[in-house]
Amino acid sequence: MAKIRVLIVDDHAIVRAGLRMLINPQPDMEVVGEAADGHEALCQAREANPDVLTLDLTMPGGGGLKILERLRQACPQTRVLVLTMHEEPSYLRAVLAAGGTGYVAKSAVDGELLAAIRSVAQGRTFVTINLSEIETHQVLGDRPTRTASAPRAPVQLLSAREQEVLKLLAQGYTNQEVGTRLCLSVKTVETYRARIGDKLGLRSRADLTRYALEMGLLDPGRSSPE
């Protein structure tokens, strides 16, 4: 089986070395290059044609978001996994809108990062931060293992309005902000949220976000939150 080819982009040599030591021993992965800035990242990506590129948001040479946009244009087949210290929803929205496929906090455990690489390599979106409580990280070892065969309630169970509410909640908007955008009262938004939870079997904001991502509702090409 072909290995997942990974390009590491981070301006800190120690971080790059740590990621290389984590990734290379994996039987299904290999590091095919490293870069310390945006220009080098573009050159390496064009040359190595990696499956997955890990990218720090705080980078010299234009910043991670600008680099991400240039990478998506130059190497559209490469999936970009952002590895960052930033846990605010606004950063996640910007990354998804720019074409990023994954978003992992640098405080994540090793297994979570490896799971993220495997997930984005298969075309899925992977996010670790909890958008309802930014300080709380979702650690893989603390949650039930999710498999490709695990059934998910179809999004068609939701009405068009419920899908709109779900998308906005998953993007990190508060109930009040959702109500303002959809011209609804906060109480009505809370009612929609409860119905969504009952229909899909989801309760926390993090669960709603993961579901929306897995169902493709937060596809950057279709959703560009402000």
Side-chain angles (χ1 to χ4, degrees):
M1 183 174 61
K3 292 187 176 183
I4 301 171
R5 305 172 75 254
V6 183
L7 175 62
I8 300 170
V9 182
D10 196 292
D11 60 328
H12 292 93
I14 292 178
V15 173
R16 296 197 305 272
L19 291 174
R20 185 173 63 251
M21 292 176 63
L22 172 66
I23 294 170
N24 272 337
Q26 303 303 313
D28 59 340
M29 302 180 191
E30 63 176 337
V31 175
V32 295
E34 299 177 21
D37 57 45
H39 176 73
E40 189 177 359
L42 286 168
C43 292
Q44 290 269 4
R46 289 192 182 103
E47 180 178 348
N49 193 29
D51 301 306
V52 177
L53 183 148
T54 66
L55 176 67
D56 184 11
L57 276 186
T58 308
M59 291 281 296
L65 283 175
K66 188 169 293 186
I67 295 170
L68 170 54
E69 293 174 351
R70 294 171 65 189
L71 282 166
R72 295 301 298 147
Q73 294 174 0
C75 306
Q77 75 286 348
T78 297
R79 302 187 183 279
V80 179
L81 170 63
V82 167
L83 183 60
T84 180
M85 60 184 290
H86 299 291
E87 300 176 49
E88 294 84 358
S90 58
Y91 283 96
L92 172 58
R93 294 177 202 152
V95 166
L96 292 176
T101 314
Y103 195 95
V104 177
K106 282 191 172 180
S107 56
V109 295
D110 292 352
E112 205 163 11
L113 175 58
L114 294 174
I117 293 173
R118 293 184 177 104
S119 183
V120 300
Q122 294 173 7
R124 297 193 297 270
T125 304
F126 193 103
V127 174
T128 61
I129 64 169
N130 184 338
L131 297 180
S132 60
E133 294 183 19
I134 305 304
E135 297 79 12
T136 303
H137 301 288
Q138 300 304 304
V139 181
L140 275 183
D142 294 337
R143 303 187 60 82
T145 302
R146 291 178 288 123
T147 65
S149 60
R152 279 292 195 186
V155 73
Q156 288 79 11
L157 291 175
L158 304 181
S159 67
R161 177 63 80 178
E162 287 168 346
Q163 291 186 38
E164 289 180 319
V165 172
L166 170 60
K167 289 179 185 180
L168 292 175
L169 290 173
Q171 289 167 4
Y173 293 105
T174 65
N175 290 349
Q176 184 172 355
E177 290 170 335
V178 173
T180 299
R181 293 175 70 89
L182 299 181
C183 298
L184 302 172
S185 69
V186 173
K187 186 173 182 180
T188 300
V189 173
E190 291 173 349
T191 299
Y192 276 121
R193 181 170 178 173
R195 289 178 184 171
I196 293 167
D198 290 340
K199 289 182 178 181
L200 302 180
L202 306 173
R203 289 294 176 263
S204 71
R205 177 71 68 98
D207 289 338
L208 291 174
T209 300
R210 275 190 294 274
Y211 177 88
L213 288 168
E214 291 174 6
M215 294 295 106
L217 299 179
L218 298 188
D219 184 342
R222 291 158 41 196
S223 176
S224 299
E226 297 174 356

